Amino acid sequence: MDMQLTADEVAFRKEVRSFIRSALPTQIRDKVAAGGYGSRDEMIEWTRILHAKGWSVPHWPVQWGGTGWSPMQLAIFDDEIQLANAPQPLAFGVNMLGPVLYTFGNEAQKARFLPRIANLDDWWCQGFSEPGAGSDLASLKTSARLEGNAYIVNGQKTWTTLAQYAEWIFCLVRTDPESLQPGRKKQEGISFLLIDMKTKGITVRPIQTIDGGVEVNEVFFDDVRVPVENLVGQENRGWDYAKFLLGNERNGIARTGATKEKLRRIRQLAQNGYEGGPPRAHDRRFMEKLTAAEIELRALEITQWRVLARVAKNPKGKPDPASSILKIKGSQMQQCATELLLEMAGPYAMVRKSSASDAHNQPPVGPEWAAVTAPQYFNYRKVSIYGGSNEIQRNIIAKAILGF
Amino acid sequence: MDMQLTADEVAFRKEVRSFIRSALPTQIRDKVAAGGYGSRDEMIEWTRILHAKGWSVPHWPVQWGGTGWSPMQLAIFDDEIQLANAPQPLAFGVNMLGPVLYTFGNEAQKARFLPRIANLDDWWCQGFSEPGAGSDLASLKTSARLEGNAYIVNGQKTWTTLAQYAEWIFCLVRTDPESLQPGRKKQEGISFLLIDMKTKGITVRPIQTIDGGVEVNEVFFDDVRVPVENLVGQENRGWDYAKFLLGNERNGIARTGATKEKLRRIRQLAQNGYEGGPPRAHDRRFMEKLTAAEIELRALEITQWRVLARVAKNPKGKPDPASSILKIKGSQMQQCATELLLEMAGPYAMVRKSSASDAHNQPPVGPEWAAVTAPQYFNYRKVSIYGGSNEIQRNIIAKAILGF
Amino acid sequence: MNFDLSEDQQLLKDTFERFLKQTYGFEQRKAACAKPEGWSHDIWREMAEIGLTGLLVPEAHGGFGGGKVEAMVALEALGSALVVEPFLPTAVLCAHLIAKHGTTAIAEEYLPKIVDGSALLALAHMERQAPLDPANVATTAKPSGDGYVLNGEKTLVLHGDSAQALIVSARVAGNQTDRAGIGLFLVDAKASGLKRQAYATQDNGRAAEISLYDVPARALGEAVAKDGLLALEATIDLGMACICVEAVGAMAALHALTVDYLKMRKQFGLPIGAFQVLQHRAADMYIALELARSMAISAMMSTDEPDAHKRHQAIAAAKVQIGRAGMMLGEEATQLHGGIGMTMEYASGHYFKRLTMIDAQWGDADHHLGQLARQGSLLSD
Amino acid sequence: MNFDLSEDQQLLKDTFERFLKQTYGFEQRKAACAKPEGWSHDIWREMAEIGLTGLLVPEAHGGFGGGKVEAMVALEALGSALVVEPFLPTAVLCAHLIAKHGTTAIAEEYLPKIVDGSALLALAHMERQAPLDPANVATTAKPSGDGYVLNGEKTLVLHGDSAQALIVSARVAGNQTDRAGIGLFLVDAKASGLKRQAYATQDNGRAAEISLYDVPARALGEAVAKDGLLALEATIDLGMACICVEAVGAMAALHALTVDYLKMRKQFGLPIGAFQVLQHRAADMYIALELARSMAISAMMSTDEPDAHKRHQAIAAAKVQIGRAGMMLGEEATQLHGGIGMTMEYASGHYFKRLTMIDAQWGDADHHLGQLARQGSLLSD
């Protein structure tokens, strides 16, 4: 038993840290540190910096641009990305589609798409959720019917993150309409399609979220023609690939590095009062809450290492059900950090900057960091909903671990 | 809308308070204040003091010794009993059996039993729960088969509070064994019997609980003969009487007066340090927890008044499902008070007085009040279990109020 | 003890609810929020017509002469409909201050206009160094001719952007944190030297930063021009009690919305409300709502408590309970709704945002808990 | 990073678990608790035979020479079986202090006896005016002849009733709360002037109040006779880490017991574990358990951290997490069991009681949280 990193791992962390911190453009770092996101162009810029270093898709097979790092190294890399306030590489291509393609795609698909994902030449989005199918994903209805050498896709996807930026979307579609009949398994009529967003018949409608942003969209398909070569794997086997993808999604979902960085920032901001008022650090109750959060984060971080150590011993195994702990507690800790920031802002959390032009013309109201506290707090409510809600995760623990 | 007591109610409270505080024997008061219970003899002594005043069964019909008080007056009386650290009159006779008898019993039963309950001539206990039937009470198995002019009772009851003191037990028994068959309603074969504890074939086995006390028992029935005149109401209709009884049980279940008195005591104890140490009142975190408890208790108290005001308008109505709120929150607040006491005792909560003789021979270890904090904390875990567990109460809210 | 409305109060409640049902549906509210000022003058006029704006104005000045119960009825309805019009600053805070402490001239000038909806007022008392401490006042008032001139900065002035006049706290004597020497003054919003920076709040409300440079002002009233802190604190307490009631209206509506959604939304072939876990969550929300309602009633019924300490304790305690309940209900409603609860296209998120902002307004639950813990027992006798 | 046991450690674990399975079932434990001393000398001897009592004693003194991982393995097993024998004071606290700081004479006298099970020792450091502050010491030690005489009172001395010798903290210089000038001394329990009042603890443990009146004593070691506070604090930290691990053993056993009960116990025709609400409660308990386990590992692995501040932070943080998790699991297990969980005839209540006492021992979760909040960030680099 040993909770220390090896000397090699320490050296690796140092190398990664030093590269990321020197290579990350300052304006991107400051944006992320303040709770924002990189713009489309900034995401591309940063991904290409990583790609040039060979680090844009580190967990992929070396053949397709991966690094051959150990699970621990990959975890350190993730952690350092988060600690540096660097944007995480765009998950839809890098973490979701990429592994599906190199595992189940044909050679032509791999050659065509993987390099473009690694360089963020194609911005991918994910077409899984539908208005009637949230946690019950397999009840999806978007249909794809084969006509000659193309599928004709009709239906609607929703909660499609950053679809407004996307060149491509990977979709679950129903290729066997009979599979929804009683007595059939609805999972058995689903296929996995790659769809060019420029295809005729696709409409994207932005959904404004309660943080005031536009992160998600509805995507409508009206007789959209998708060449048959864009089918991944076999027809009606898409559910298998989706499960594989969703299993991968739980890796790194705890985002302990990002939360650690947020708590650090809170402690630092708490040192200064605003306009002559007392610093928050004088408020013992607040500092105890912050300390309690630090303790819980530490507990989560070690738990993550423990799960990782198990996974590292059996890297090809099924997703560890204990990763549901990471999802639940990780989302709670991410939310906890936004709650502390909100509390720290006090009444200044109420202020809304309605547009960038306001921000240019007017001095900030309240401490500069306070303006984003409420939007962040609202935005982060999503993390206990998406990727399998925390209720679903508890079901997983009850069934897969506790044997109910 | 008016949240004040009327002048008459204020005068009534004053009268009740003044009587209780002057009539309550000091040694009983001190015992209850310290978190203990009156002994059997003390309970009898106190009940008879109340009875002499005409207040031992205030909510009963005047004919049977009741007072004719309004629901608000009855609530004030309850509150004052609790605030004075007086023992509550023994619930099994006064609150449970009494109303069943004067509502469903025959004249002979009323004349025979009610006066003896009012004067605590008979100590009653309750024979409902069985080892296999907790929250699912109606699945009880204790059988009573009619033989000539007597029922022969066989089976086992459990969690029978203070059965060791009892002269009588009222029991739910299964008089129609067929009612447990599939397709039948198990509620329809149950009868309500009154059983003399001295009858041959009854064995009481005490159960030691985690607070170290012996409050509950198992009661075994082995061919126990119960004269048929001890059947209450009709055979196989006992479930109706039990539901009536359990509905009454939820009244006053919040015990806000008792919790208020406990919080008051905590605030007072917090003023003094132990052996030169600092008083707890200097610990801001503790005082904030105490204050938060006071706020929640206040919210509960007003909620109780609101439910009471509704009940007062329709006193013959069914139990208000909102009383489930009072049960849940009332139990949480009672537990919260014991948690604060436990926390206040710090490491001294660990000490166990193993017997009364220890206490006589030895000085107390730690502050005198600390010795009972852990037993009280453990004992009060029961209040969210008994009388319909808090999970059952949430089911009631979901179904009866929210319409799920 | 009696928690019923009188017949008249019930009538008033029905009137307000009917009115809001007709004029303040989700889309109508959206349209109001989209107007340049962030709310609708037309609706404000209609609110005046049915007696809402003058609800608390004494009958002598043409108002309805309503008291705490009428205010409770109105605020619960407004909270339930998430009304963004400037009811609180104009019709509650400033109407109260003027009716209770204003000179006859000021009362005669403004109260009838509040009743007919033509006056918009705001209360400017917060300062940046300590927005939650009304006794921490750096803004100064110096006598000048018949009146005063004010200098200083005020922050987070609710609806300060559209107000025609502001009631401003300013120091006439003493040091920055002295409780004595704080006066209340009436300032014309167009007065020279007054600048305002308008902005929206997270819940579709509006506010402004106000800077005052040699701004001419009148004393609000003779007594409160010299020592206005107690009047200001009573007004803030009244405001806190009002937003507590408003929060209860919002929580009740949000809870009903959530329960309906759970019954309607299907997953895995069942309404998600069939899952016991979600039923119990809804039950816990209901418990929180009912306890919050009790405290909001208590807060509002305490607004005319003559003992200022008792009054503040009761209202601050309610603010703690409501703050916690509001956050809990907002977060749980969002979680139970899933994705749809994250969007602006559905009502639950708007309730969540309003409840979050009510907690932040005039000090959140932890702030008041911390203060109450220094003030002795809250237990009644 | 590696959370596996070595082969030897795994062997040790199997040995301890097998031993406890055979000797420490529910009824066997009950019998041990019923003995006059509250625990069983026979079992203690068996514990010595399989190497438990000498686990942390250096090999040079005949012990196993185990380190932190071996301690972890033992304590988890002991916690899981709710062992009441005096392992912690004798085999951990005093063994550690003597091995690390004792004179050669004392080490040679006591360590072999700890190994063979014939010595029982206790650590007497708490005083009534501030039991959680080891630097608050009023007991005095004055040189006398070759040794010292002690005067004072010690409280809550775990297993102080049966100990043959006590290690006592006493002041050789300075004021009552000075960090300097606190020495550690070895006292024979039969020495003249030493009185003890024995009592049971809530979890079937034993303790004593000790009073010292001109009691002859030896310096535990030359260095720690003058300034022993750092050694004492390190020992308390070790003790806290050990009870954290013990708690994890207890929590895991309690959780397993609860899950089994939910699967077995039927109500309304179904195992109660079929109810989703109870499944989720069990899942939340599991999460709490696993997070607690992580922190207990971290605490134990930090016991030999050379930076005393870092060591204490890591261990106190674990105490917070374990305290909260232990109370949560204890309360939830009781609730989920219903009535049976309230009785002494079933194991869950015994786990609950032990976990409650572990939280209270050396300061509860809130106590340590309050202290940690004054000490800067806990975040690692």
Side-chain angles (χ1 to χ4, degrees), chain A residues 131 136 210 289 377 384, chain C residues 202 265 268 331 335 353 366:
Chain A
D136 182 12
I210 54 174
K289 274 178 149 178
Y377 166 71
S384 52
Chain C
Q202 288 288 338
R265 167 78 168 168
F268 304 104
E331 291 176 1
Q335 183 71 20
K353 285 160 77 86
D366 270 12

Side-chain angles (χ1 to χ4, degrees), chain D residues 12 16 19 43-68 70-71 74 78 86-96 99 107 110-121:
Chain D
L12 208 61
F16 295 157
F19 166 73
I43 292 176
W44 184 250
R45 262 189 300 275
E46 292 182 60
M47 286 169 72
E49 275 163 30
I50 65 160
L52 261 167
T53 62
L55 187 69
L56 305 184
V57 173
E59 288 169 283
H61 294 280
F64 186 87
K68 53 198 183 182
E70 288 72 22
L78 295 171
F87 183 80
L88 190 71
T90 295
V92 177
L93 304 177
C94 293
H96 170 82
Y110 282 100
L111 292 179
K113 289 192 191 163
I114 292 176
V115 174
D116 72 17
S118 61
L120 296 172
L121 295 139

Side-chain angles (χ1 to χ4, degrees), chain D residues 45 49 60 62 72 86 136 141 144 151 244-245 296 299-300 313 348:
Chain D
R45 262 189 300 275
E49 275 163 30
M72 186 148 59
N136 190 322
S144 161
N151 281 283
C244 284
V245 172
M300 195 52 101
Q313 266 196 326
S348 80

Side-chain angles (χ1 to χ4, degrees), chain C residues 64-179:
Chain C
F64 185 86
K68 55 198 182 182
V69 180
E70 288 73 21
M72 187 149 58
V73 162
L75 279 150
E76 188 172 344
L78 296 170
S80 168
L82 287 173
V83 169
V84 295
E85 278 64 25
F87 182 80
L88 190 71
T90 295
V92 177
L93 304 176
C94 292
H96 170 82
L97 271 174
I98 292 173
K100 191 125 186 209
H101 303 285
T103 61
T104 314
I106 287 176
E108 284 176 354
E109 180 181 347
Y110 282 100
L111 292 179
K113 287 192 192 162
I114 291 176
V115 174
D116 73 16
S118 61
L120 296 172
L121 295 137
L123 175 61
H125 67 89
M126 289 187 183
E127 301 194 358
R128 292 190 192 104
Q129 71 280 4
L132 303 181
D133 180 3
N136 190 321
V137 176
T139 299
T140 57
K142 296 223 162 60
S144 162
D146 282 357
Y148 292 81
V149 291
L150 305 192
N151 281 283
E153 311 265 337
K154 294 288 173 179
T155 190
L156 292 167
V157 180
L158 289 187
H159 285 286
D161 56 335
S162 59
Q164 294 139 7
L166 302 160
I167 297 177
V168 179
S169 61
R171 190 162 284 291
V172 290
N175 293 318
Q176 188 178 312
T177 57
D178 285 355
R179 287 186 55 82

Side-chain angles (χ1 to χ4, degrees), chain A residues 107-339:
Chain A
E107 291 310 312
Q109 289 168 339
K110 293 185 210 178
R112 176 173 174 198
F113 293 113
L114 290 176
R116 298 182 58 82
I117 291 174
N119 201 41
L120 200 38
D121 293 328
D122 294 332
W123 188 291
W124 282 88
C125 64
Q126 180 193 34
F128 278 18
S129 290
E130 297 188 3
S135 290
D136 182 12
L137 184 58
S139 65
L140 61 90
K141 293 204 176 79
T142 295
S143 68
R145 119 187 143 257
L146 194 58
E147 272 193 20
N149 61 354
Y151 288 100
I152 310 300
V153 177
N154 280 286
Q156 182 194 342
K157 296 289 174 184
T158 192
W159 314 131
T160 316
T161 303
L162 301 180
Q164 71 268 39
Y165 295 165
E167 275 113 6
W168 284 83
I169 183 169
F170 56 91
C171 280
L172 293 180
V173 293
R174 190 158 303 278
T175 34
D176 179 0
E178 299 301 311
S179 56
L180 281 176
Q181 294 302 314
R184 285 285 308 276
K185 286 194 77 171
K186 59 194 171 184
Q187 286 81 358
E188 289 174 357
I190 294 172
S191 298
F192 197 111
L193 281 190
L194 312 177
I195 307 179
D196 187 332
M197 289 292 280
K198 291 187 299 296
T199 321
K200 200 174 144 233
I202 296 181
T203 317
V204 174
R205 191 186 76 81
I207 302 175
Q208 201 187 21
T209 43
I210 54 174
D211 55 313
V214 184
E215 206 175 75
V216 290
N217 302 269
E218 291 180 303
V219 182
F220 298 89
F221 298 87
D222 181 15
D223 281 339
V224 173
R225 281 184 67 87
V226 180
V228 73
E229 67 258 31
N230 287 3
L231 173 74
V232 174
Q234 291 178 263
E235 200 179 70
N236 295 332
R237 296 291 297 276
W239 187 250
D240 293 343
Y241 318 141
K243 271 201 306 188
F244 169 84
L245 180 155
L246 295 171
N248 292 333
E249 201 184 2
R250 268 188 266 156
N251 292 343
I253 198 124
R255 291 185 58 75
T256 50
T259 303
K260 191 188 278 189
E261 187 49 32
K262 276 216 177 69
L263 294 183
R264 209 171 258 164
R265 192 171 134 84
I266 291 169
R267 194 174 271 277
Q268 185 199 322
L269 292 171
Q271 302 308 317
N272 303 309
Y274 174 63
E275 298 261 335
R280 258 299 168 153
H282 292 183
D283 176 350
R284 299 233 52 81
R285 186 174 1 92
F286 184 81
M287 294 312 282
E288 287 185 10
K289 274 178 149 178
L290 176 59
T291 304
E294 290 177 353
I295 293 172
E296 289 220 274
L297 183 65
R298 177 82 182 137
L300 175 62
E301 197 180 36
I302 299 169
T303 306
Q304 186 173 242
W305 289 339
R306 289 172 49 215
V307 174
L308 187 68
R310 272 208 299 269
V311 172
K313 283 200 289 186
N314 183 15
K316 297 279 170 206
K318 288 196 172 183
D320 191 320
S323 59
S324 289
I325 298 179
L326 307 182
K327 169 61 168 65
I328 293 174
K329 201 69 202 174
S331 61
Q332 289 171 346
M333 293 313 301
Q334 291 179 67
Q335 291 175 340
C336 171
T338 69
E339 287 156 27

Side-chain angles (χ1 to χ4, degrees), chain D residues 233-255:
Chain D
E233 285 176 337
T235 307
I236 295 171
D237 278 352
L238 172 63
M240 290 209 294
C242 283
I243 59 174
C244 284
V245 172
E246 189 191 338
V248 168
M251 279 189 251
L254 177 57
H255 186 254

Side-chain angles (χ1 to χ4, degrees), chain C residues 277-333:
Chain C
V277 157
L278 306 190
Q279 287 185 11
H280 279 208
R281 302 268 283 271
D284 282 334
M285 290 166 75
Y286 178 74
I287 295 172
L289 164 63
E290 287 302 313
L291 293 171
R293 186 187 293 280
S294 295
M295 288 304 267
I297 294 172
S298 152
M300 194 51 103
M301 300 306 275
S302 304
T303 49
D304 56 6
E305 159 68 45
D307 178 332
H309 175 63
K310 276 195 194 164
R311 179 198 72 220
H312 180 71
Q313 267 195 325
I315 293 171
K319 191 74 173 51
V320 172
Q321 190 84 23
I322 268 80
R324 292 186 167 180
M327 297 303 277
M328 182 269 209
L329 268 110
E331 291 176 1
E332 284 291 88

Side-chain angles (χ1 to χ4, degrees), chain B residues 309-353:
Chain B
R310 272 206 301 269
V311 172
K313 284 200 287 186
N314 182 17
K316 297 278 168 206
K318 289 196 172 183
D320 192 319
S323 58
S324 290
I325 298 178
L326 307 182
K327 169 63 170 62
I328 293 173
K329 200 71 203 173
S331 61
Q332 289 172 346
M333 293 312 301
Q334 291 178 69
Q335 292 175 340
C336 170
T338 68
E339 287 156 27
L340 287 168
L341 266 166
L342 184 77
E343 180 175 346
M344 196 157 67
Y348 287 111
M350 298 197 291
V351 177
R352 175 157 67 96
K353 288 256 176 63

